[in-house]
Amino acid sequence: MTTTPINTIQSEFLAQLPHHHLIVEADTGSGKSTRLPLWIANHNPAKKVLIIEPRRIACVALATYVATLAKTQLGQDVGYAIRFDQKFNSATRILFVTPGIALRWLADNQLSDYATIMIDEFHERRWDTDLLLALLKKKNQHRLIITSATIKGQQLANYLGGKRLTSEGRMFPVTTRYLSTKPQQMPSTRDLDKRIQHACKVAIEQLENVKKNHDILVFLPGKKEIHSAAQQLKDIDADVIGLSASASPQEQQRALNQQPQRRIILSTNVAETSLTIPNVGVVIDSGMERRTHQRNGRTVLGLDPISKASADQRKGRAGRLFEGICIRLWGEHAPLTDTTPPEILREELTELVLAAACNQTPINDLDFPEPLPEKSLEVATTRLLAMNAINDAGLATEHGKQLYPLPIDSLFSHLITAMPNQSCKIAMVDVIAALSVNQNYHYCFYQLQT
């Protein structure tokens, strides 16, 4: 097996594993997402390992790669489970799942099949991973491993009463270049497609000067911007590929597998963490993302500049196998925030409160890494009480337990269950669930509301 930077902490990791929860800080490209599960499984072959990955694409890709490393067929010793797709059996020892799957299994059987649970890329701070960590901490029945390149490791170690381990990451340097002539210029979408075209031409010229046929990875906020950029790049001699959560399996494979022709991969932030795209020599970063926030008490999607931590993650996609270049489309001294606020601090909390209630734990009994906003918590609790989804003790009612498994927003679930016609109920669930898979989940519901 190829040596990776994370190997430097293998002995210490395995020595501490039986005794402490572990927080592993390791740079992008260190090998933490693929090596740690194998170390854990091989350390105690009789016990199963569950790895929580925040994105479906990464879940499948990592399981596929780890199965290759373990020299086993995918779905046997190593597998995955995501919404509407799974490959594993009762004997699978290393299983990659999304947070939603893990929360539902926790409600069903307390994840009793697993001794160790690893939450990967925790810096993304989704509400479901925060909730999962809080529930697992309270239940105290599993060894917990938290990993990321950009988390406050010691703060999390104190929170869990665990140990913090750190590892180096990239094996090759990455040169950063800023294309804006204004040092304070913030990222924006103004003429973004034309600026991406210019940056790609600059990147190709630099690669040809050093006679390298490396690929180019471009970070864009969404599918709309990916389509616009692809139109601008038609005259460039390269295979232009779009990569997003809703990309077809064929498009995903084109992005994840190296080709003879130079590729320009236009990606949302699904490629920011976990995914390894081979042969990337240049990263072009728009500095923008679509991020959730609250509007009139509901979660909606907006365009925002990324944080410094996200910029570092994106930069880390280059420099994996050789020296790389990162081209940023904003000013060198732009006042980006240090980190992206966790979802629990910027979204409504209805789904979180219901999920906790269905896990037989009132939300007020849980200890989160950061306290929940009181106003958002009050609104969510009031809404769920009005829907008769939770009782006064904060536990799920039978109605709430019916709403929770549905793959749609609980408010829409509640409205659908009130429909008198059963076939109409099923049709509405199918339509909204399909929309939530093929588009951004929050964007889908914002569109339905407006």
Side-chain angles (χ1 to χ4, degrees):
M1 189 181 296
T2 305
T3 299
T4 59
I6 197 71
N7 285 68
T8 57
I9 67 166
Q10 183 174 4
S11 297
E12 185 179 7
F13 178 88
L14 294 176
Q16 297 287 357
L17 182 63
H19 310 291
H20 302 283
H21 300 311
L22 297 177
I23 288 79
V24 179
E25 288 182 80
D27 287 344
T28 300
S30 64
K32 61 185 180 299
S33 300
T34 55
R35 268 53 178 192
L36 295 186
L38 288 170
W39 296 351
I40 298 166
N42 293 335
H43 185 68
N44 192 345
K47 301 293 184 179
K48 295 181 179 181
V49 185
L50 190 71
I51 303 97
I52 317 299
E53 287 294 336
R55 301 181 186 279
R56 293 190 299 268
I57 294 178
C59 217
V60 176
L62 286 171
T64 303
Y65 184 61
V66 171
T68 301
L69 293 178
K71 298 180 180 179
T72 184
Q73 184 178 350
L74 181 65
Q76 299 300 315
D77 210 34
V78 181
Y80 69 85
I82 61 176
R83 188 192 297 175
F84 307 133
D85 186 21
Q86 61 183 40
K87 280 191 178 181
F88 73 99
N89 59 42
S90 59
T92 299
R93 295 172 54 239
I94 301 174
L95 186 60
F96 290 81
V97 303
T98 49
I101 297 289
L103 280 171
R104 285 177 172 80
W105 289 359
L106 184 64
D108 290 342
N109 68 358
Q110 303 298 296
L111 293 175
S112 56
D113 292 340
Y114 301 93
T116 303
I117 297 178
M118 172 175 151
I119 303 179
D120 197 19
E121 308 297 359
F122 187 73
H123 71 275
E124 294 202 15
R125 297 304 304 275
R126 292 168 44 133
W127 71 262
D128 44 14
T129 52
D130 274 23
L131 174 60
L132 185 61
L133 179 58
L135 286 166
L136 291 171
K137 179 189 176 187
K138 182 174 180 60
K139 295 177 186 298
N140 196 29
Q141 296 172 353
H142 303 86
R143 173 66 65 232
L144 302 180
I145 312 296
I146 312 299
T147 74
S148 179
T150 54
I151 54 175
K152 297 177 181 177
Q154 192 56 54
Q155 180 179 322
L156 267 179
N158 295 340
Y159 167 74
L160 284 177
K163 295 289 185 180
R164 175 193 181 198
L165 304 178
T166 60
S167 169
E168 297 298 322
R170 286 186 298 271
M171 301 179 68
F172 298 91
V174 178
T175 303
T176 304
R177 177 176 177 182
Y178 295 85
L179 288 193
S180 175
T181 57
K182 300 177 180 178
Q184 299 289 327
Q185 179 68 53
M186 288 288 287
S188 76
T189 56
R190 182 182 55 82
D191 296 327
L192 182 57
D193 53 351
K194 294 182 176 61
R195 290 188 290 134
I196 291 295
Q197 180 191 50
H198 171 66
C200 285
K201 290 180 177 179
V202 169
I204 290 173
E205 182 180 353
Q206 292 189 352
L207 290 172
E208 289 179 346
N209 285 341
V210 293
K211 294 181 172 57
K212 301 293 184 182
N213 193 38
H214 295 159
D215 297 327
I216 300 169
L217 175 61
V218 183
F219 282 102
L220 292 162
K223 291 199 299 181
K224 174 184 175 182
E225 291 78 15
I226 287 175
H227 178 74
S228 296
Q231 294 297 109
Q232 287 289 332
L233 297 175
K234 283 185 174 180
D235 62 338
I236 291 181
D237 183 19
D239 185 13
V240 179
I241 303 170
L243 180 62
S244 66
S246 61
S248 68
Q250 293 77 18
E251 284 293 287
Q252 292 178 22
Q253 287 305 309
R254 285 179 63 208
L256 297 177
N257 296 320
Q258 187 174 343
Q259 307 294 333
Q261 184 183 15
R262 173 177 286 127
R263 300 176 301 162
I264 299 177
I265 301 157
L266 307 175
S267 177
T268 62
N269 55 11
V270 298
E272 190 173 301
T273 56
S274 299
L275 286 182
T276 295
I277 300 177
N279 199 45
V280 171
V282 180
V283 166
I284 297 173
D285 192 354
S286 69
M288 297 293 292
E289 67 177 351
R290 280 192 165 81
R291 186 188 307 162
T292 53
H293 57 88
Q294 288 196 54
R295 180 186 299 167
N296 299 324
R298 297 294 290 168
T299 300
V300 299
L301 204 62
L303 272 170
D304 295 281
I306 62 173
S307 65
K308 293 177 182 177
S310 290
D312 287 341
Q313 288 278 357
R314 293 178 175 190
K315 174 182 176 180
R317 297 295 95 188
R320 307 292 291 269
L321 299 175
F322 34 72
E323 292 185 11
I325 301 168
C326 178
I327 298 176
R328 292 172 171 168
L329 305 189
W330 64 91
E332 184 173 1
H333 302 293
L336 302 179
T337 59
D338 289 336
T339 58
T340 304
E343 286 186 351
I344 60 171
L345 301 184
R346 54 187 168 86
E347 293 188 2
E348 60 170 325
L349 301 179
T350 305
E351 307 307 316
L352 181 145
V353 175
L354 180 59
C358 288
N359 273 280
Q360 303 174 8
T361 309
I363 194 67
N364 290 326
D365 288 357
L366 292 175
D367 175 27
F368 286 84
E370 288 91 7
L372 300 178
E374 291 185 8
K375 183 177 179 181
S376 297
L377 185 57
E378 180 183 355
V379 169
T381 303
T382 301
R383 181 176 292 150
L384 288 168
L385 285 168
M387 293 191 301
N388 190 33
I390 62 172
N391 59 27
D392 291 337
L395 297 174
T397 63
E398 288 304 313
H399 181 54
K401 292 175 184 178
Q402 289 179 336
L403 302 182
Y404 178 56
L406 297 177
I408 56 175
D409 183 283
S410 58
L411 177 59
F412 287 96
S413 300
H414 174 67
L415 295 174
I416 290 170
T417 58
M419 292 179 177
N421 186 290
Q422 183 66 19
S423 61
C424 185
K425 292 179 185 180
I426 295 171
M428 282 299 295
V429 170
D430 288 345
V431 167
I432 298 177
L435 283 171
S436 70
V437 169
N438 291 307
Q439 301 181 31
N440 181 282
Y441 185 84
H442 296 287
Y443 179 72
C444 162
F445 293 121
Y446 175 64
Q447 292 294 92
L448 286 171
Q449 291 171 68
T450 54

